[in-house]
Amino acid sequence: MNEIIFLVEEDENEGGFFARALSESIYTQGDDIHELRCNIKDAVNCHFENNANKPKMIRLHFVHDEVMAA
């Protein structure tokens, strides 16, 4: 696996961010972007115990909702 993609969303109710991988069962969160990035790296390392299977790149896809008045 060359790459793993995470969808990242801001938690509007409680603050912070959460992320989930698209192709694996990996989910994590953080109070800020820096903490989230560290938690994602830790989660990927724990999920892929065998370094041969671990992705070489982690891609973060930020999802933003925009609300407009009609």
Side-chain angles (χ1 to χ4, degrees):
M1 175 181 287
N2 271 345
E3 173 181 77
I4 188 167
I5 300 171
F6 281 84
L7 291 181
V8 177
E9 296 184 57
E10 190 169 359
D11 187 346
E12 295 177 10
N13 296 326
E14 297 188 24
F17 296 87
F18 58 92
R20 65 178 172 89
L22 294 180
S23 60
E24 301 290 333
S25 295
I26 305 173
Y27 177 88
T28 190
Q29 59 189 20
D31 291 333
D32 55 40
I33 293 296
H34 177 72
E35 182 179 18
L36 179 69
R37 286 182 177 138
C38 292
N39 291 346
I40 288 173
K41 285 183 181 181
D42 287 343
V44 168
N45 287 330
C46 288
H47 187 78
F48 295 97
E49 292 178 7
N50 182 353
N51 281 340
N53 295 334
K54 188 168 78 169
K56 294 173 179 51
M57 186 179 351
I58 300 171
R59 183 179 304 271
L60 304 181
H61 178 75
F62 289 85
V63 179
H64 298 281
D65 289 330
E66 185 173 329
V67 179
M68 298 174 22

